[in-house]
Amino acid sequence: MFKKQIFQVVIMMAIALSSKSQTLRQHKDFPYPDKIRYDGACLYIDGKQTFVYSAAFHYFRTPKALWRDRFSKIKAAGFNTVETYVPWNLSELNMPEGLNDFSQVDLKDLTEWLKMAQDEFGFYTVVRPGAFICAEFAGGGYPRWLAKFRPNDIEGFWLRSADDRYLDWHDHWYKAVCKVVQKEQITSKQKGKKGIILIQIENEYNAHKTTNKAHALQRMYSCVRNAGITIPVFTCLTAETRGSKDPVLSQVFDCDNYYVGQKDAINCTQRMSDLKRQQPDAPGFVTELQGGWFSTVGGKLSEEHYSNDKHFYAIGMMSIAGGATGIFPYVFVGGTHFAGWGARGQTTTYDYNAAIRENGALSPKYYAAQNLGNFIKKYGQELIHSKGGLCSFESAPAEIVGAQRISSGGTRFVFIHNSSANQKYSGNATVKAGKGNNGQAMYNIDQDENKVLIKSKNNADTAMAAIASLSIHYDLGPMETKVLIIPPAGGADKGTWWSYSVPEAKVVSPVSFRFKTVKQYNEDTQGPWRPLFDGKSLPEMEINDLRYVRYRSNFELNKEEVSKYTRMLFNTYSRDIINMEVNGKIAPRLFPSEKWVSEVTRQRDKSFTFLKETEYDNQFDLTGLLKEGHNEVWLVYENIGHEHGYFPMEELCGIRTAGLSDGVTTIDKILKWDYSPNLSGIEHKFTDAAFDSKGWKVVPLDTTFLIPRKGNNIQPKGEQNALLTWYQAEFKLPENTGKRTWRLLINASGNGFIYINGHNIGRHWEAGPQREFYIPECWLNLKAGEKNNITLGLRQTVNGAVIRSMEIRNYDNGDS
């Protein structure tokens, strides 16, 4: 009787689903439906129902020489797809002459990454070009120069708005990206060949407060189609496209991104059920399944976040329990913000505590993902057309939650999860379909780790209510998730349990090189200087990366002016940091505070206001520094990065105006300035692998101090005696070290960049918590006896720029 009842309900559901799908599909535009299309169940590629399992791997966060290593590991984990953001700012670094000038666009790396993924490793690919990508990346991916084109008559946000002048530039970017996508999309490939299967427009648009989003999205979609893109188009967390009846936006399907609390994995089932109800003509995709968390300056490292392998496994399984047929862990491959490309307030490391760590090691999440991949490979086809939803486990503690699905063939999948982080539970329970925690509040976690309420519909599936109850015995450790798979002809006693356990970690013996000395040289005023024209920003001078820039001014003062002017005021475009020297002496800072200057974290309280032209964001005390006659001022300007949200994305950088004052409210004497586009050390090639630092001061280091690998405010305390200080040292890796990956451990004050053999491996922030820096093995000389060069350029803070200890060490077990 039980078996017959299941089949009757399943057949009725399958007929209803098929009929509804066919009716809705008539309204969908699939230029090549035999090649790729979708319905309410899944994506169809070359006519085959496909469960998309996609790994987020950002090509710009891993050196190209290491791509194959990462791709091979993704493949071994069972993924059939990889996806990436495409950052506009890296791809079009310098300002074009106009909307129709594409001469500054360079998408070679994207093209090579796509071809390697598709042709060499057999992956389908997904492209997410933004233009706003967020991704904790500088400017959320927007180029700095774009702020130059912000119209004067705009109030509020311009970027991501529906203003057609912004959308013209958005089209400019999409036209460039789509030239690559058009060639690499699967509809341009022969049958059986891999290609791009999906393209995303915008990114989590719900989080941006602007009006008339529908118009903006219509423009984006039309641009993509007009550029010859014939694959499906999607969004994520964008209400305007979710189940839209608009003739244009109905062609776009929306997806969910799941970042949930430690105990809230069941929310993924609820939210997926909601998504599928809201747009029954599209598959349920999770385009960002939380794979970890980012780390911030002065905050905590990714490894300290609660999102461990059990949490990752639970939200993956609970998404499938809700009906997901597309899962994209974000990020699957941890990376690095080389050359300082992280957004303001972000650390150099983007390890993310991901499945594949920053150095390529496999974390416990990797094996959880591999288990999910095996589950999808074995049962994916059955699950694609299954029906299900939340269920209750009567007689079990409230922490025992889950859902179930019934395949068209009658296989019953009972997903069960222990949401307690420290309590083990076992016992007997009655599984009741069509029940569960309906109406329970659901939350997503935003970038500030705040819970954001998600509005929910009724999650009960009335069809599932007809399924008979089931008695099971469960045994679940803290945060453990299992699936009971029951064949059509049997009860719970005929079922088999699917679960995951992490393998024992491999231990690698430590190998290290301790630096006994470093050579030191203070930055100077040598090098080329050019006149700075009034109001000229750095992007207008083709300086759009995160480098340091020097400015100087020479001026004459009479006796009266010397006694009058006691302040130097600067109005920059974007609240960057300045260190200044006046007539050979360091000028004391009045504003901002030394703490802020040392840490330089994100200023969320400033994110909703533009920096006014009369607001002086760097102020210095000139008392006793000026003299009658000729005066000389020079400074180091630190571009600390573009915020990844709100008004700071719409600001240029550089010094807008600066001069002398007798107070802090107005500039009384505006000065003329020259600028040098690079530090003297860059001009003299201090960072090159072959640079000879002969003549530099030799500084001894502490070789007994145990260098902490993480922590806040544990840098050495020195005194500022220069604007920026260079350090250089050489090292040889120990012989016969085998296949290891390497990191720099350092205890130092000062903020700046670290270079290994000429490669910029990222920023050092004295505030922490990052005290170790990944050194890509492809940038090291690994052969016995070969020298490696390390150079640091550190802007001095109130603590100076002091190196106490420094060490090259391997990653102990690949999961440090």
Side-chain angles (χ1 to χ4, degrees):
M1 180 64 184
F2 175 69
K3 178 181 175 183
K4 182 178 179 181
Q5 184 184 34
I6 289 179
F7 273 109
Q8 286 176 338
V9 173
V10 168
I11 289 169
M12 290 173 61
M13 291 189 297
I15 292 172
L17 176 65
S18 176
S19 175
K20 191 170 188 178
S21 176
Q22 292 295 329
T23 301
L24 290 168
R25 193 181 303 157
Q26 295 174 5
H27 304 291
K28 292 289 184 181
D29 178 22
F30 300 116
Y32 298 92
D34 293 338
K35 198 72 174 176
I36 189 165
R37 61 181 175 86
Y38 61 81
D39 61 15
C42 67
L43 201 64
Y44 294 77
I45 304 176
D46 286 333
K48 181 182 178 182
Q49 298 177 358
T50 305
F51 193 119
V52 178
Y53 193 33
S54 179
F57 171 23
H58 301 159
Y59 64 91
F60 48 92
R61 282 180 163 132
T62 298
K64 189 181 299 185
L66 301 178
W67 287 354
R68 281 189 178 85
D69 172 80
R70 306 305 192 258
F71 276 135
S72 64
K73 290 169 179 172
I74 295 170
K75 192 75 173 179
F79 288 86
N80 57 14
T81 307
V82 290
E83 59 101 342
T84 185
Y85 281 128
V86 187
W88 186 357
N89 48 12
L90 279 186
S91 306
E92 192 172 22
L93 188 61
N94 291 321
M95 187 188 305
E97 292 184 2
L99 289 166
N100 296 317
D101 176 18
F102 299 95
S103 63
Q104 302 300 318
V105 177
D106 183 358
L107 290 165
K108 181 181 177 182
D109 282 355
L110 171 63
T111 302
E112 291 184 14
W113 185 88
L114 289 168
K115 288 184 177 295
M116 187 181 292
Q118 295 161 179
D119 301 342
E120 190 172 333
F121 287 90
F123 288 118
Y124 299 116
T125 56
V126 175
V127 174
R128 305 173 74 186
F132 178 72
I133 65 172
C134 187
E136 292 74 58
F137 204 64
Y142 282 116
R144 203 83 193 235
W145 52 258
L146 189 58
K148 183 66 180 175
F149 297 95
R150 178 187 163 93
N152 293 327
D153 61 348
I154 289 291
E155 292 185 8
F157 298 119
W158 184 56
L159 299 183
R160 306 185 74 189
S161 77
D163 182 76
D164 282 319
R165 292 163 293 185
Y166 159 66
L167 293 170
D168 288 343
W169 278 106
H170 194 283
D171 284 357
H172 165 87
W173 167 235
Y174 268 35
K175 288 174 184 177
V177 174
C178 286
K179 288 179 182 178
V180 175
V181 177
Q182 196 278 329
K183 293 177 182 178
E184 294 301 323
Q185 63 186 339
I186 198 165
T187 48
S188 298
K189 302 294 184 74
Q190 294 179 351
K191 186 173 183 178
K193 296 289 185 180
K194 298 300 180 7
I196 303 170
I197 56 174
L198 298 168
I199 184 171
Q200 178 179 301
I201 56 173
E202 243 298 331
N203 189 58
E204 297 181 329
Y205 216 7
N206 288 350
H208 192 65
K209 306 303 180 185
T210 190
T211 59
N212 203 9
K213 292 180 182 178
H215 173 68
L217 292 161
Q218 288 165 346
R219 276 279 306 262
M220 294 173 198
Y221 178 80
S222 297
C223 180
V224 166
R225 286 295 187 232
N226 291 336
I229 304 307
T230 52
I231 55 176
V233 179
F234 74 98
T235 55
C236 64
L237 287 178
T238 300
E240 288 74 16
T241 62
R242 186 170 293 195
S244 174
K245 305 301 182 184
D246 179 84
V248 174
L249 298 187
S250 62
Q251 304 304 314
V252 183
F253 74 98
D254 194 37
C255 306
D256 245 337
N257 293 350
Y258 293 164
Y259 296 86
V260 302
Q262 186 180 28
K263 300 179 180 181
D264 297 329
I266 194 64
N267 282 181
C268 299
T269 304
Q270 296 171 271
R271 289 176 59 181
M272 180 53 61
S273 297
D274 270 2
L275 174 65
K276 291 176 72 65
R277 283 190 184 86
Q278 291 173 50
Q279 49 178 31
D281 58 346
F285 278 16
V286 186
T287 38
E288 292 185 25
L289 183 79
Q290 183 175 12
W293 201 253
F294 53 86
S295 56
T296 55
V297 177
K300 58 187 179 183
L301 291 178
S302 299
E303 65 189 40
E304 298 170 295
H305 194 263
Y306 64 78
S307 176
N308 61 12
D309 57 314
K310 290 183 178 180
H311 179 268
F312 172 79
Y313 189 71
I315 63 177
M317 279 298 190
M318 289 301 136
S319 297
I320 296 173
T325 57
I327 292 181
F328 302 52
Y330 183 97
V331 289
F332 193 73
V333 179
T336 310
H337 291 134
F338 297 115
W341 275 101
R344 185 172 296 204
Q346 298 292 315
T347 57
T348 284
T349 177
Y350 199 71
D351 174 79
Y352 216 78
N353 196 20
I356 300 177
R357 303 294 296 271
E358 181 179 21
N359 69 317
L362 307 182
S363 80
K365 284 180 187 171
Y366 178 85
Y367 301 102
Q370 193 174 54
N371 183 287
L372 279 171
N374 290 336
F375 182 77
I376 292 168
K377 184 177 180 179
K378 186 170 183 178
Y379 298 109
Q381 290 299 309
E382 287 188 79
L383 288 164
I384 280 174
H385 285 293
S386 65
K387 295 290 287 184
L390 293 171
C391 61
S392 63
F393 296 90
E394 296 193 356
S395 302
E399 289 85 355
I400 302 300
V401 295
Q404 60 180 338
R405 302 201 70 78
I406 309 292
S407 75
S408 57
T411 303
R412 186 169 182 171
F413 298 84
V414 179
F415 296 78
I416 184 169
H417 169 64
N418 177 9
S419 58
S420 171
N422 47 42
Q423 182 68 48
K424 178 180 179 179
Y425 290 111
S426 62
N428 298 313
T430 301
V431 181
K432 288 202 171 182
K435 294 185 178 181
N437 44 355
N438 300 317
Q440 177 179 319
M442 300 187 300
Y443 297 92
N444 207 48
I445 306 296
D446 69 12
Q447 285 223 348
D448 298 312
E449 297 192 69
N450 298 314
K451 284 188 171 184
V452 179
L453 182 66
I454 302 293
K455 293 182 179 179
S456 171
K457 306 292 183 183
N458 181 15
N459 284 282
D461 191 316
T462 54
M464 291 298 293
I467 301 299
S469 299
L470 180 71
S471 295
I472 66 168
H473 178 79
Y474 63 89
D475 186 6
L476 297 167
M479 294 295 293
E480 189 172 14
T481 306
K482 293 181 179 180
V483 184
L484 179 61
I485 303 153
I486 305 170
D493 59 323
K494 301 294 183 181
T496 57
W497 285 100
W498 184 284
S499 61
Y500 148 77
S501 59
V502 63
E504 186 176 345
K506 296 178 181 178
V507 178
V508 179
S509 58
V511 178
S512 67
F513 173 85
R514 194 79 184 227
F515 292 88
K516 297 179 180 179
T517 62
V518 290
K519 294 181 179 180
Q520 182 191 75
Y521 185 91
N522 287 334
E523 173 70 10
D524 55 40
T525 59
Q526 297 181 44
W529 291 88
R530 305 167 187 174
L532 178 68
F533 297 103
D534 291 344
K536 205 78 167 178
S537 67
L538 293 181
E540 293 172 272
M541 299 182 288
E542 295 193 345
I543 300 174
N544 290 288
D545 52 16
L546 288 301
R547 75 181 75 175
Y548 288 90
V549 176
R550 294 175 295 165
Y551 292 83
R552 73 177 181 186
S553 180
N554 293 281
F555 52 93
E556 303 292 324
L557 294 177
N558 59 37
K559 186 175 181 180
E560 182 181 348
E561 288 174 319
V562 170
S563 62
K564 176 182 179 181
Y565 299 132
T566 59
R567 302 286 186 266
M568 178 81 81
L569 306 182
F570 291 88
N571 173 241
T572 73
Y573 289 91
S574 54
R575 299 185 176 90
D576 284 319
I577 297 302
I578 291 169
N579 276 8
M580 186 175 70
E581 191 174 282
V582 180
N583 295 323
K585 296 182 179 179
I586 295 171
R589 186 185 311 280
L590 294 172
F591 182 83
S593 70
E594 292 291 357
K595 183 178 187 297
W596 162 249
V597 172
S598 297
E599 294 185 0
V600 196
T601 51
R602 191 180 188 189
Q603 287 179 290
R604 291 304 301 271
D605 60 324
K606 305 289 187 183
S607 294
F608 298 93
T609 58
F610 280 111
L611 182 63
K612 301 175 183 177
E613 293 187 22
T614 55
E615 185 178 348
Y616 303 110
D617 55 302
N618 278 264
Q619 304 172 16
F620 294 88
D621 185 359
L622 301 182
T623 304
L625 299 181
L626 298 175
K627 60 183 180 179
E628 188 176 354
H630 183 74
N631 290 265
E632 182 174 310
V633 173
W634 76 283
L635 57 91
V636 170
Y637 175 98
E638 180 175 29
N639 184 344
I640 57 176
H642 204 173
E643 277 202 34
H644 60 306
Y646 313 115
F647 284 134
M649 294 195 305
E650 306 190 23
E651 294 176 328
L652 296 163
C653 57
I655 294 175
R656 180 158 38 196
T657 186
L660 305 174
S661 176
D662 60 359
V664 296
T665 58
T666 59
I667 294 177
D668 299 311
K669 185 181 181 68
I670 294 177
L671 299 178
K672 292 288 185 181
W673 296 86
D674 296 327
Y675 78 98
S676 182
N678 278 307
L679 295 172
S680 173
I682 298 295
E683 295 288 348
H684 290 91
K685 303 186 185 305
F686 289 178
T687 63
D688 283 10
F691 176 74
D692 185 359
S693 57
K694 183 179 180 180
W696 288 24
K697 179 183 177 182
V698 177
V699 179
L701 299 182
D702 185 342
T703 59
T704 61
F705 175 68
L706 182 62
I707 305 174
R709 55 175 296 273
K710 61 182 178 181
N712 293 316
N713 301 311
I714 54 175
Q715 73 280 349
K717 307 286 187 178
E719 293 185 1
Q720 185 180 3
N721 57 17
L723 302 188
L724 184 143
T725 300
W726 292 94
Y727 289 96
Q728 191 269 343
E730 293 179 346
F731 63 95
K732 299 176 185 177
L733 292 172
E735 297 183 21
N736 302 317
T737 56
K739 189 177 180 181
R740 285 176 164 84
T741 53
W742 301 91
R743 50 188 164 162
L744 167 72
L745 278 80
I746 185 169
N747 184 242
S749 58
N751 299 330
F753 290 114
I754 305 168
Y755 303 83
I756 298 289
N757 296 329
H759 298 277
N760 187 328
I761 67 169
R763 282 189 191 265
H764 174 272
W765 297 106
E766 74 166 39
Q770 185 176 2
R771 304 291 171 183
E772 64 177 9
F773 297 83
Y774 170 51
I775 307 175
E777 53 271 33
C778 57
W779 294 345
L780 284 168
N781 296 319
L782 298 170
K783 293 182 181 179
E786 286 189 326
K787 290 183 179 180
N788 292 277
N789 183 306
I790 179 171
T791 306
L792 298 95
L794 300 176
R795 177 186 63 78
Q796 292 207 11
T797 69
V798 67
N799 297 309
V802 178
I803 299 179
R804 178 179 181 181
S805 298
M806 195 164 67
E807 177 182 3
I808 302 293
R809 186 192 301 172
N810 70 304
Y811 285 87
D812 301 335
N813 59 10
D815 183 33
S816 55

